[in-house]
């Protein structure tokens, strides 16, 4: 077999492959054997039909087609490996010549990873928010904890701000009650903003048994985004009572003996959260600076596939779970279809560029992923997906996604290397020394977000469908 490579642009090549006919022998033998098992010819036992009879009865062309289908993936993969190409996605295969007994010639156009040169990134400088926790922040955290331990007592009076009311709801659109527009026994804290706009004004002043009607835009369900006429009936009014902020409360709500210890722990928790947010902010801003330094051509076919994947995931997974379709989502977001398409394309371009650049850094810095790092990442991904680690691990293995997770960890490490070399200052002008654990976790999170839904295939994976592409249009033998 002979092959040659023609560069069409920085992200696409054309392979020209010439295969001597004798190299098709194994595939021809396999084709005859397969056809033998599928057909019946009077006078011959099944599986024992001579090749010449198959040629006469079913045509030599059918045998050649079967043989080419079998052989093309191997020849394509050999050509890719010989040329040391890092291909992306499926090739477009065209059989240019097929002469029985002489030769098989074909071309294959395929996207490849572009050659990327990583410049010196040690001069990158970014600014992040300072880690500052005020007394007001601590007060708010303690107050939120206090709210969680509030008790309620039914009262015989009109509902007021802060009361917990039990209500029945019925929503109508165009005079028709929605199938999913009826809810009974709903508990709602007046002023929390957790239900429909306008409900606070509707229920305030009502006693148990009182009813009211108001108009509101529905946030979810089958009529999300539409104006609805909502009827509400109050079945109970309960006053909320907050515990006193003292040592007894600290012992009730925590493992601490005093309110002072509880407040100190709240401060520490807030500082840890802000430090993680600071590390994530540093990763995002360093990544932006890094991408500005590197010229990264993006394969158009890969980009279109990435855009379609992101749209599909949004429409059929995220929005589907919320009971929304894309037009309803755009209406709620206040975006046009054109704005959505532009944003999706920009996110897809950034995701692909990020993956290319960080993968190149992984190679350049010779970064490896050990079992402990992979396990830690798997645990974090499992937690964010709502699955147990065992369930998530099983799904990853069954879906053949282990290499994807390894890639996420490796790219996270690559980004952490760049952040470590960069100068990170907070808004007070102080140099920020990021915690190693926060830095690594944040880096994995950032790169996983921007490369979400990106995919690529190895030469072996790509070749699996090359034969199908080749047989769509074939010259006669």
């Amino acid at each position: 077999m002979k092959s040659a490579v023609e560069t069409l642009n920085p992200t696409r090549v054309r392979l020209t492959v010439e295969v001597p006919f004798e190299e098709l022998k194994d595939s021809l033998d396999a084709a005859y054997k397969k056809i033998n098992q599928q057909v019946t010819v009077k006078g011959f036992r099944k599986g024992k039909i001579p090749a010449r009879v198959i040629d006469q009865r079913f045509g030599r062309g059918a045998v050649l087609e079967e043989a080419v289908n079998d052989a093309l993936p191997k020849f394509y993969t050999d050509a890719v490996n010989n040329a040391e190409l890092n291909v992306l996605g499926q090739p477009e295969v065209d059989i240019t010549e097929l002469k029985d007994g002489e030769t098989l010639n074909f071309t294959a156009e395929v996207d490849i990873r572009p050659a990327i040169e990583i410049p010196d990134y040690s001069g990158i400088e970014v600014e992040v928010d300072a880690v500052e926790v005020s007394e007001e922040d601590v007060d708010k955290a303690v107050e939120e904890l206090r709210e969680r331990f509030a008790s309620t007592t039914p009262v015989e009076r009109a509902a007021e701000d802060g009361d917990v009311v039990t209500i029945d709801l019925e929503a109508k659109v165009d005079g028709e009650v929605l199938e999913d527009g009826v809810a009974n026994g709903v508990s709602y804290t007046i002023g929390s903003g957790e239900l429909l706009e306008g409900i606070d004004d509707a229920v305030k002043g009502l006693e148990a048994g009182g009813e009211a009607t108001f108009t509101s835009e529905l946030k979810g369900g089958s009529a999300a985004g539409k104006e609805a006429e909502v009827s509400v009936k109050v079945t109970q009014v309960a006053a909320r009572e907050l515990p006193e902020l003292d040592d007894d409360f600290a012992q009730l709500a925590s493992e601490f003996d005093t309110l002072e210890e509880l407040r100190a722990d709240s401060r520490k928790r807030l500082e840890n959260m802000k430090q993680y947010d600071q590390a994530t902010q540093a990763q995002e801003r360093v990544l932006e600076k890094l991408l500005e330094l590197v010229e990264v051509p993006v394969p158009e076919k890969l980009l279109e596939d990435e855009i379609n994947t992101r749209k599909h995931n949004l429409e059929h997974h995220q929005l589907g779970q919320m009971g929304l379709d894309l037009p309803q989502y755009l209406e709620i977001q206040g975006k046009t279809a054109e704005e959505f398409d532009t944003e999706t394309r920009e996110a897809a371009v950034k995701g692909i560029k990020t993956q290319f650049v960080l993968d190149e850094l992984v190679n350049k810095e010779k970064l490896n992923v050990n079992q402990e790092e992979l396990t830690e990442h798997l645990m974090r991904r499992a937690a964010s997906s709502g699955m147990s680690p065992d369930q998530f691990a099983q799904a990853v293995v069954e879906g053949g996604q282990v290499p994807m997770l390894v890639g996420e960890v490796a790219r996270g490490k690559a980004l952490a290397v760049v952040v470590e070399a960069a100068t990170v200052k907070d808004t007070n002008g102080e140099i920020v020394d990021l915690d190693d654990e926060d830095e690594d976790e944040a880096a994995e999170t950032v790169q996983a977000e921007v490369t979400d839904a990106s995919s690529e295939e190895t030469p072996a994976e790509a070749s699996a469908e090359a034969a199908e592409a080749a047989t769509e249009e074939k010259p006669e033998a």
Side-chain angles (χ1 to χ4, degrees):
M1 184 193 81
K2 293 193 303 183
S3 61
V5 181
E6 177 187 357
T7 300
L8 303 177
N9 61 50
T11 63
R12 193 165 180 83
V13 298
R14 179 188 292 122
L15 285 162
T16 301
V17 184
E18 298 178 11
V19 182
F21 204 80
E22 56 266 23
E23 294 188 29
L24 281 172
K25 183 180 184 307
D26 289 345
S27 294
L28 281 169
D29 291 343
Y32 278 116
K33 185 175 182 180
K34 183 176 181 179
I35 294 173
N36 239 310
Q37 300 300 321
Q38 295 174 338
V39 302
T40 301
V41 176
K42 189 175 181 179
F44 297 96
R45 283 182 297 164
K46 193 158 190 170
K48 299 296 183 179
I49 308 169
R52 59 179 177 77
V53 175
I54 291 177
D55 289 346
Q56 291 169 358
R57 290 294 186 92
F58 305 102
R60 174 72 166 177
V63 180
L64 288 175
E65 181 176 340
E66 184 67 40
V68 169
N69 284 347
D70 177 73
L72 263 181
K74 177 184 180 303
F75 293 134
Y76 167 74
T77 301
D78 288 347
V80 167
N81 291 337
N82 290 342
E84 298 182 345
L85 297 175
N86 198 338
V87 300
L88 301 166
Q90 303 298 330
E92 294 179 7
V93 179
D94 179 33
I95 297 177
T96 56
E97 188 174 26
L98 177 57
K99 289 185 178 180
D100 194 358
E102 295 184 30
T103 187
L104 163 67
N105 298 336
F106 68 91
T107 62
E109 288 191 17
V110 66
D111 287 333
I112 60 170
R113 275 180 177 263
I116 298 175
E117 198 167 318
I118 304 295
D120 179 17
Y121 47 78
S122 61
I124 291 178
E125 294 186 10
V126 297
E127 184 181 74
V128 296
D129 294 336
V131 174
E132 296 174 341
V133 178
S134 66
E135 284 299 310
E136 289 75 14
D137 293 331
V138 177
D139 290 343
K140 182 179 178 182
V142 173
E143 188 63 26
E144 288 174 352
L145 183 62
R146 186 184 180 206
E147 292 276 351
R148 288 165 50 189
F149 284 85
S151 59
T152 58
T153 304
V155 293
E156 295 183 4
R157 60 165 172 77
E160 302 173 356
D161 271 328
D163 285 344
V164 178
V165 290
T166 304
I167 54 179
D168 297 336
L169 295 166
E170 181 183 86
K172 294 181 181 179
V173 173
D174 298 329
E176 297 290 330
V177 177
L178 300 172
E179 289 186 11
D180 55 354
V182 178
N184 296 320
V186 177
S187 180
Y188 175 67
T189 301
I190 299 176
S192 67
E194 294 174 352
L195 278 178
L196 299 169
E197 186 176 345
I199 193 169
D200 289 341
D201 291 336
V203 297
K204 276 192 296 186
L206 296 181
E207 299 184 16
E211 300 182 29
T213 301
F214 64 100
T215 300
S216 183
E217 182 179 303
L218 299 179
K219 296 180 180 179
S222 61
K226 293 184 178 180
E227 289 286 327
E229 182 184 88
V230 183
S231 300
V232 57
K233 179 180 180 180
V234 176
T235 60
Q236 179 181 277
V237 179
R240 296 176 74 249
E241 297 178 6
L242 297 174
E244 291 293 326
L245 279 178
D246 52 23
D247 292 346
D248 289 339
F249 168 69
Q251 295 166 21
L252 170 69
S254 70
E255 71 271 29
F256 301 106
D257 293 327
T258 67
L259 182 61
E260 184 179 351
E261 290 174 322
L262 173 61
R263 288 182 62 85
D265 181 70
S266 296
R267 177 179 293 277
K268 183 62 178 175
R269 290 175 184 272
L270 289 171
E271 287 175 350
N272 290 340
M273 289 172 57
K274 286 180 177 287
Q275 284 171 351
Y276 178 78
D277 291 343
Q278 186 186 65
T280 302
Q281 194 177 67
Q283 313 298 330
E284 292 171 344
R285 295 182 179 179
V286 168
L287 178 59
E288 293 281 357
K289 292 281 189 179
L290 178 63
L291 293 180
E292 290 173 8
L293 294 176
V294 187
E295 185 69 30
V296 186
V298 176
E300 193 60 35
K301 178 67 167 59
L302 181 66
L303 175 59
E304 292 307 315
D305 289 345
E306 172 74 358
I307 291 171
N308 291 334
T309 298
R310 287 173 181 262
K311 287 183 177 179
H312 177 85
N313 288 342
L314 175 65
E315 291 187 66
H316 298 280
H317 297 293
Q318 300 168 20
L319 296 183
Q321 293 175 355
M322 298 164 60
L324 299 175
D325 58 21
L326 185 57
Q328 291 170 333
Y329 169 76
L330 294 179
E331 184 177 348
I332 293 171
Q333 294 291 313
K335 295 178 183 177
T336 65
E338 291 75 17
E339 290 171 336
F340 170 74
D341 287 343
T342 298
E343 290 179 4
T344 303
R345 187 177 186 86
E346 289 174 350
V349 168
K350 182 180 180 181
I352 293 171
K353 286 185 174 182
T354 297
Q355 182 167 329
F356 285 171
V357 170
L358 295 183
D359 282 346
E360 185 63 28
L361 268 167
V362 169
N363 295 329
K364 180 179 179 180
E365 302 293 344
K366 296 181 173 56
L367 301 175
N368 296 310
V369 176
N370 60 41
Q371 186 62 48
E372 182 181 356
E373 292 168 335
L374 182 60
T375 300
E376 289 177 357
H377 183 63
L378 186 147
M379 299 281 281
R380 286 194 286 267
R381 287 292 303 270
S384 65
S385 70
M387 301 170 68
S388 72
D390 287 344
Q391 289 175 325
F392 187 79
Q394 183 178 353
V396 166
V397 172
E398 291 177 353
Q401 298 299 305
V402 173
M404 180 195 73
L405 286 189
V406 172
E408 288 179 358
V409 178
R411 293 181 201 114
K413 293 178 71 172
L415 181 53
V417 168
V418 182
V419 173
E420 187 175 347
T423 300
V424 181
K425 293 183 179 180
D426 65 20
T427 48
N428 294 327
E430 299 292 330
I431 297 291
V432 176
D433 184 14
L434 299 172
D435 178 81
D436 288 343
E437 185 175 343
D438 280 347
E439 185 178 340
D440 290 341
E441 182 178 345
E444 289 178 23
T445 301
V446 169
Q447 73 82 28
E449 288 175 354
V450 296
T451 60
D452 181 39
S454 295
S455 63
E456 62 177 281
E457 294 175 314
T458 65
E461 293 169 329
S463 67
E465 296 184 16
E468 294 181 17
T471 56
E472 292 178 0
E473 195 171 326
K474 198 189 291 330
E476 294 185 7

